[in-house]
Amino acid sequence: MATRSLPKHVGFIPDGNRRWAVGRGLPKEQGYQFGIEPGLALFEMCKSIGIPEVSVYCFTQDNTKRPPPQIQAFRSACMTFAEEITRRGAALLVVGNENSGLFPPELRTFRARQGSGMKVNLLMNYDWEWDLSGLREGSIRSHDVSRLDLIVRWGGGRRLSGFLPVQSVYADFYIVDDYWPDFKPDHFDQALSWFREQDQTLGG
Amino acid sequence: MATRSLPKHVGFIPDGNRRWAVGRGLPKEQGYQFGIEPGLALFEMCKSIGIPEVSVYCFTQDNTKRPPPQIQAFRSACMTFAEEITRRGAALLVVGNENSGLFPPELRTFRARQGSGMKVNLLMNYDWEWDLSGLREGSIRSHDVSRLDLIVRWGGGRRLSGFLPVQSVYADFYIVDDYWPDFKPDHFDQALSWFREQDQTLGG
């Protein structure tokens, strides 16, 4: 079994913000702001390692059925993150349904990729059915997002929750039990070590 | 967190037959025949527990690029399994591309579900792109297969490998490190116990 090199594209599902807040006696919506710094730390880590592309599950159209203070809080945290990584040179693409739900109008310009740094795809107001329904007109709506090699999810859940179903078909799935605001670089180091040991067959 | 009841639909990825054979000093293709008895044991277990629907990843169109002795062996094992569970009253549906690759002509009649027992969907000569391309004509080709609640994979791989991407979007993913021919009822008991402890949010 040959060891593999670095993943070319990693998906991140930063789950557990609300449970983290509740565990600290805070209102649920306060969890999201504590996810920004970890996000930036992980962004810098990916850049320095040389990962060419990452995708982040920010929020879905379904998430916008949550109570308004939560919606306001996760939207605000995602916007802050998007602005900051753009300032730091990310080649940003925002993937989501801008025709319904809560797609942020301020980010409409990122519906086409901007910049030439590390590719970062942020899923905002994303919905897997919306994504696949693009096939009716020729191709999935997330056609600018490449196939995923590795998906890392925080918060212990062992499911995709609608995350990029087409790009995920052959991805290796690594789970961190800690909640996202408790991110440590060691989580991703472990995920990469584990990834290198996986056999890649693609059905052959 | 409320405990959940039984999964309504479970997907099985019975991987590791070839590695099992190699580990016993046998030619790779001999692993498949040792997967039939475990399959029947698991079928009976699901029936007695009262699981309404199961899907089994038998072989993909990609798998038919393997050496001819392997193709012959996994096709033969799958056919034997399909015949036997039909005899035991399964409501069988065979999902796969019958227009190219190695779809078994003997099973063409099961392209529409037959029987009224436990629903069993066997993926043979399946290809996820073929499945999704049905959307271009209105709906995915596996439209008679319901959404999955739980997916159990043997052989240690933590990936879907193209298994029913639409039905898998919210499924919980449970991994057994043992190879499929080493199936024990305890594997599935553990998977069900674990499943009952998972929180189900569907993005809400």
Side-chain angles (χ1 to χ4, degrees), chain A residues 7-41:
Chain A
K8 291 192 183 67
H9 182 191
V10 185
F12 296 114
I13 305 180
D15 196 25
N17 295 280
R18 294 183 296 173
R19 286 173 287 164
W20 183 90
V22 168
R24 308 217 155 191
L26 299 169
K28 282 182 180 176
E29 63 269 20
Q30 287 200 21
Y32 299 110
Q33 63 181 294
F34 293 93
I36 301 171
E37 276 306 318
L40 295 173

Side-chain angles (χ1 to χ4, degrees), chain A residues 27-76:
Chain A
K28 282 182 180 176
E29 63 269 20
Q30 287 200 21
Y32 299 110
Q33 63 181 294
F34 293 93
I36 301 171
E37 276 306 318
L40 295 173
L42 182 53
F43 168 79
E44 292 298 338
M45 194 174 170
C46 290
K47 256 204 322 194
S48 72
I49 292 170
I51 309 254
E53 183 172 359
V54 302
S55 289
V56 185
Y57 212 6
C58 294
F59 66 94
T60 65
Q61 218 168 298
D62 270 346
N63 292 157
T64 65
K65 295 170 190 157
R66 291 180 182 173
Q70 289 185 31
I71 296 169
Q72 210 268 323
F74 66 63
R75 239 169 137 262
S76 161

Side-chain angles (χ1 to χ4, degrees), chain A residues 40-137:
Chain A
L40 295 173
L42 182 53
F43 168 79
E44 292 298 338
M45 194 174 170
C46 290
K47 256 204 322 194
S48 72
I49 292 170
I51 309 254
E53 183 172 359
V54 302
S55 289
V56 185
Y57 212 6
C58 294
F59 66 94
T60 65
Q61 218 168 298
D62 270 346
N63 292 157
T64 65
K65 295 170 190 157
R66 291 180 182 173
Q70 289 185 31
I71 296 169
Q72 210 268 323
F74 66 63
R75 239 169 137 262
S76 161
C78 292
M79 297 291 292
T80 304
F81 179 71
E83 280 162 25
E84 184 56 26
I85 61 170
T86 305
R87 204 183 63 75
R88 297 186 188 191
L92 188 64
L93 179 74
V94 178
V95 181
N97 185 352
E98 70 175 288
N99 297 316
S100 72
L102 291 170
F103 188 93
E106 307 90 320
L107 296 179
R108 217 161 260 165
T109 177
F110 295 103
R111 294 298 308 274
R113 195 183 300 282
Q114 306 282 323
S116 58
M118 180 173 72
K119 290 181 181 179
V120 180
N121 314 308
L122 300 183
L123 274 58
M124 297 203 197
N125 202 47
Y126 176 84
D127 175 70
W128 66 270
E129 288 186 281
W130 163 82
D131 191 357
L132 295 186
S133 70
L135 278 172
R136 299 207 167 95
E137 293 149 39

Side-chain angles (χ1 to χ4, degrees), chain A residues 95 126 130-131 139-146 164 166-167:
Chain A
V95 181
Y126 176 84
W130 163 82
D131 191 357
S139 66
I140 57 170
R141 296 191 200 279
S142 62
H143 51 77
D144 288 331
V145 176
S146 73
L164 295 168
V166 165
Q167 289 85 349

Side-chain angles (χ1 to χ4, degrees), chain B residues 78-100:
Chain B
C78 292
M79 298 291 291
T80 303
F81 180 71
E83 279 163 23
E84 184 57 26
I85 62 170
T86 306
R87 206 184 61 76
R88 298 185 188 192
L92 187 63
L93 179 74
V94 177
V95 180
N97 185 353
E98 70 176 286
N99 297 318
S100 72

